[in-house]
Amino acid sequence: MEAAAAPKPPFTAFPSSYTPKPFLRFALPNIPLHSKRRFLKISSALSKPAAAQSFVSRYGLEEPRKGADILVEALERQGVTDVFAYPGGASMEIHQALTRSAIIRNVLPRHEQGGVFAAEGYARSSGRPGVCIATSGPGATNLVSGLADALLDSVPLVAITGQVPRRMIGTDAFQETPIVEVTRSITKHNYLVLDVDDIPRIVNEAFFLATSGRPGPVLIDIPKDIQQQLAIPNWDQPIRLSGYMSRLPKSPNENHLELIVRLLSEAKKPVLYVGGGCLNSSEELRRFVQLTGVPVASTLMGLGAYPMGDENSLQMLGMHGTVYANYAVDKCDLLLAFGVRFDDRVTGKLEAFASRAKIVHIDIDSAEIGKNKQPHVSVCADLKLALNGINRVLESRGVGGKLDFRSWREELNEQKRKFPLSYKTFEEEISPQYAIQVLDELTNGEAIVSTGVGQHQMWAAQFYKYKKPRQWLTSGGLGAMGFGLPAAIGAAVANPGTVVVDIDGDGSFIMNVQELATIKVEKLPVKILLLNNQHLGMVVQWEDRFYKSNRAHTYLGDPSNENAIFPNFLKFADACGIPSARVAKKDDLRAAIQKMLDTPGPYLLDVIVPHQEHVLPMIPSNGTFQDVITEGDGRTSY
């Protein structure tokens, strides 16, 4: 982002041809850019790179090169090995430079939105920042949904866009959009590069910003003339983020951690409410539960942080969470909210949420503490450090093992027995929940699962038993349809050899169906379990419940021939040379899913399911636990 000029600090290591120019308004500390290859993990605290190797440039020390080549080498020095980039006029130079890299592979999406969602899938499944590249104008604006999604779900992303030459900015040039202004409120930070010599520093800052504190997306907009300009890069520039670094959370206060332990020892009915902020602290979370025996309810974003099949797991809470998870939060006397933001889809009516409980809120983002629900004790810190500290206090005081919540757990077990996750059968037709259960069994709960948005997303959250973090990839905060297939692409690139399944709905899938070409050409073994009900299922469910089943443009088939499956997704797959099959009867399902998993490479299984099925339980928007719905579907009138 352009800002007022400020003089740079003096340097001694610059090549003689270097003329420093101002860029950002921050006064910044001297943190050198080392010439080492970095593999950055998503981290909520400052830490050393996970791996550092001496980096050997393909250019001589004093050899001039284009700005685009400086950019690509800067990515290499950050440990980037994969990007998702779609070329255009304003980004051609970057793509030419990528062809000269022996380190970075470009996975070519068929739409820029596919590219940014794939970069998200890469980041969510691996813990490393995802990188996507697009041209100016419509290429850049096609990234907007992905950037907003990454911000809401705290996904580290670096998006690079080409821009018209500097002299043409503001002239309404061909394919010019002010993408820095467009994305200002949906990125953690963004840059407009106005000096080729700033590229090494800006890339270093972008990756640091994306991965530190609360992770998020950063955009770098690079005019074409900057990409073409020859320069000798200085890799030892300091990053200039003193204001940001001063706001990064410090180590948790020991007194606060001891207070949390004291509240825990006084509680009779404690519950853990864990979210996406726990994904990097899974081991510490498991140790805490081992020491205390506190039952665990997870948000949609936190699935897998604690094993869903464990006896202490209450699975998911919230609008479509289990009855027993929502019961636990409603009746608890201590709510341990770790790495969460009290989202409306979790809390429902805020005043009634955990109304009997003392609330402890630990989060790395100070803006989230007290934003929606005022806690009794708050700790703004890296959750990994906080949980380590709490576990240390528990162990040193011998509290672990002395806490007795057996009567509380038995009360919750009774709720599990009375209100298990269940579903109705449709005779020979396939219940969508059953399809996901079979997939869970056949993959032993170990696949990486991505989804679109809607009913299939909620069923995948309920009926697949995730064992570890980063198995579950979904658009939570934004709820972006079309996320599933591209996210699976990113996961397959980041995790070769791992089973990756896109559980998708027909409405979501068709929004980025062009990415079938990508998985074919890139030889990515993505499996697509398409739950096809010919409707926009979640909206249909709301129509059934609240609008007397009046269909308002939610039928996605062909109205002139409602008996046919439309469109024929098998022909989409065939057009891209991808094997596929359709299954409509329950007795044929298991063998069909097994064949999908056994077939090498990508595969699409079109599973025909009834549109009358509803996602249950359901707490209506702004409702309370008392309003929970556990019965009925589209075959019933309301």
Side-chain angles (χ1 to χ4, degrees):
M1 141 187 356
E2 186 181 6
K8 280 188 175 180
F11 301 103
T12 56
F14 288 159
S16 56
S17 63
Y18 179 81
T19 305
K21 295 183 181 179
F23 186 71
L24 275 180
R25 61 177 171 271
F26 302 116
L28 303 156
N30 269 344
I31 299 180
L33 253 167
H34 297 290
S35 297
K36 299 205 176 175
R37 186 177 179 187
R38 298 182 175 199
F39 290 89
L40 294 177
K41 292 278 186 180
I42 299 174
S43 172
S44 46
L46 293 173
S47 58
K48 293 181 180 179
Q53 304 168 4
S54 57
F55 184 87
V56 179
S57 174
R58 59 184 175 277
Y59 294 95
L61 191 63
E62 297 293 321
E63 183 182 355
R65 77 243 25 199
K66 286 184 174 182
D69 290 294
I70 296 171
L71 172 69
V72 169
E73 184 168 326
L75 295 177
E76 292 172 347
R77 288 170 181 264
Q78 292 293 337
V80 174
T81 56
D82 304 280
V83 298
F84 304 88
Y86 197 89
S91 64
M92 283 179 62
E93 290 286 352
I94 299 171
H95 282 263
Q96 290 295 312
L98 283 170
T99 66
R100 295 188 279 272
S101 172
I103 295 172
I104 297 176
R105 166 195 183 187
N106 180 38
V107 177
L108 178 67
R110 266 46 181 186
H111 189 289
E112 291 91 353
Q113 186 182 93
V116 67
F117 283 161
E120 275 200 87
Y122 184 97
R124 290 173 189 251
S125 65
S126 70
R128 300 190 297 273
V131 180
C132 60
I133 303 173
T135 191
S136 63
T141 55
N142 280 341
L143 300 180
V144 165
S145 291
L147 294 172
D149 190 59
L151 186 72
L152 280 167
D153 287 353
S154 306
V155 178
L157 203 66
V158 176
I160 298 166
T161 52
Q163 183 55 276
V164 299
R166 285 173 295 180
R167 68 184 181 280
M168 298 173 70
I169 291 176
T171 67
D172 295 332
F174 176 66
Q175 289 194 333
E176 180 194 0
T177 54
I179 198 63
V180 164
E181 302 304 323
V182 170
T183 63
R184 192 181 302 281
S185 61
I186 55 168
T187 52
K188 191 173 177 183
H189 192 57
N190 55 27
Y191 295 90
L192 173 62
V193 181
L194 295 176
D195 186 337
V196 68
D197 294 322
D198 285 331
I199 291 174
R201 172 181 59 79
I202 286 173
V203 171
N204 198 36
E205 288 179 9
F207 277 81
F208 179 73
L209 286 165
T211 56
S212 61
R214 180 176 178 174
V218 178
L219 180 132
I220 305 173
D221 195 29
I222 309 180
K224 188 168 184 177
D225 60 325
I226 296 280
Q227 299 170 36
Q228 295 171 325
Q229 186 177 345
L230 293 176
I232 300 172
N234 170 36
W235 300 111
D236 294 315
Q237 298 176 56
I239 68 171
R240 305 173 61 185
L241 298 168
S242 59
Y244 172 78
M245 293 183 68
S246 69
R247 295 191 299 272
L248 285 173
K250 310 298 186 288
S251 296
N253 186 304
E254 198 75 21
N255 293 332
H256 289 161
L257 304 185
E258 290 179 358
L259 176 57
I260 293 168
V261 172
R262 181 166 67 80
L263 289 174
L264 187 59
S265 64
E266 294 171 355
K268 303 295 182 190
K269 298 182 176 184
V271 169
L272 272 160
Y273 156 35
V274 301
C278 289
L279 294 179
N280 290 334
S281 315
S282 181
E283 288 181 19
E284 292 78 11
L285 177 65
R286 293 181 198 204
R287 178 59 180 156
F288 177 82
V289 176
Q290 185 183 13
L291 287 168
T292 63
V294 176
V296 184
S298 173
T299 68
L300 183 72
M301 293 304 303
L303 294 176
Y306 190 80
M308 289 180 69
D310 187 85
E311 62 178 0
N312 283 309
S313 173
L314 301 172
Q315 300 188 54
M316 188 171 71
L317 81 164
M319 178 176 281
H320 293 295
T322 62
V323 170
Y324 37 91
N326 288 319
Y327 174 94
V329 172
D330 188 61
K331 305 298 182 187
C332 73
D333 59 6
L334 177 65
L335 183 70
L336 300 170
F338 291 175
V340 297
R341 58 188 183 92
F342 291 88
D343 176 69
D344 62 286
R345 288 293 167 112
V346 166
T347 64
K349 189 175 182 179
L350 267 171
E351 306 81 57
F353 183 75
S355 58
R356 300 170 173 83
K358 291 179 180 174
I359 297 175
V360 173
H361 192 183
I362 304 178
D363 199 90
I364 197 163
D365 185 358
S366 60
E368 292 297 344
I369 294 174
K371 184 178 82 175
N372 293 332
K373 190 82 174 175
Q374 195 63 44
H376 298 80
V377 178
S378 64
V379 177
C380 181
D382 180 347
L383 185 60
K384 193 178 189 75
L385 299 179
L387 272 172
N388 263 326
I390 293 170
N391 292 343
R392 192 169 57 247
V393 173
L394 287 167
E395 290 164 344
S396 65
R397 295 191 175 182
V399 178
K402 292 181 181 177
L403 299 170
D404 185 3
F405 303 125
R406 282 176 296 181
S407 61
W408 172 228
R409 285 203 300 273
E410 182 49 44
E411 185 179 335
L412 297 179
N413 286 338
E414 178 61 23
Q415 291 296 310
K416 287 184 178 183
R417 288 188 288 270
K418 285 172 65 177
F419 299 103
L421 278 176
S422 61
Y423 53 90
K424 299 280 174 45
T425 58
F426 287 78
E427 298 177 351
E428 287 188 351
E429 291 184 272
I430 300 168
S431 295
Q433 303 94 322
Y434 175 66
I436 294 166
Q437 279 186 327
V438 172
L439 179 71
D440 179 49
E441 291 171 23
L442 295 179
T443 57
N444 195 30
E446 293 175 349
I448 293 176
V449 173
S450 68
T451 73
V453 169
Q455 287 181 314
H456 70 275
Q457 176 191 29
M458 294 298 104
W459 287 320
Q462 292 175 336
F463 288 92
Y464 198 95
K465 305 306 178 193
Y466 305 94
K467 296 180 177 179
K468 56 191 178 185
R470 309 205 179 284
Q471 268 188 276
W472 165 245
L473 318 176
T474 199
S475 174
L478 191 67
M481 293 175 67
F483 178 83
L485 181 57
I489 289 172
V493 170
N495 302 272
T498 302
V499 177
V500 178
V501 182
D502 169 28
I503 299 176
D504 225 326
D506 50 313
S508 278
F509 181 67
I510 202 168
M511 287 196 173
N512 272 313
V513 71
Q514 76 283 340
E515 300 308 327
L516 286 173
T518 304
I519 61 175
K520 172 61 177 179
V521 170
E522 300 289 342
K523 298 179 173 61
L524 299 173
V526 172
K527 313 299 183 184
I528 302 154
L529 186 72
L530 185 61
L531 301 180
N532 187 349
N533 65 5
Q534 296 283 282
H535 286 74
L536 201 55
M538 187 60 86
V539 186
V540 165
Q541 177 171 332
W542 282 58
E543 286 176 339
D544 287 343
R545 294 281 175 176
F546 310 117
Y547 295 89
K548 299 180 181 178
S549 298
N550 182 45
R551 297 287 175 258
H553 320 117
T554 48
Y555 176 58
L556 301 178
D558 180 0
S560 67
N561 186 8
E562 294 189 9
N563 293 322
I565 301 299
F566 178 87
N568 187 341
F569 288 105
L570 305 188
K571 290 188 176 181
F572 280 95
D574 184 59
C576 293
I578 293 173
S580 61
R582 177 177 292 156
V583 59
K585 292 188 177 180
K586 185 177 179 180
D587 291 344
D588 301 330
L589 179 68
R590 184 175 292 270
I593 292 179
Q594 189 63 65
K595 182 181 179 182
M596 175 185 77
L597 296 171
D598 291 343
T599 302
Y603 193 98
L604 186 148
L605 182 60
D606 190 15
V607 183
I608 308 304
V609 298
H611 74 271
Q612 295 93 342
E613 183 61 301
H614 286 183
V615 179
L616 297 174
M618 177 182 181
I619 298 176
S621 184
N622 201 39
T624 71
F625 174 67
Q626 312 306 324
D627 303 317
V628 65
I629 300 167
T630 59
E631 293 292 332
D633 55 37
R635 295 172 290 187
T636 309
S637 295
Y638 300 95

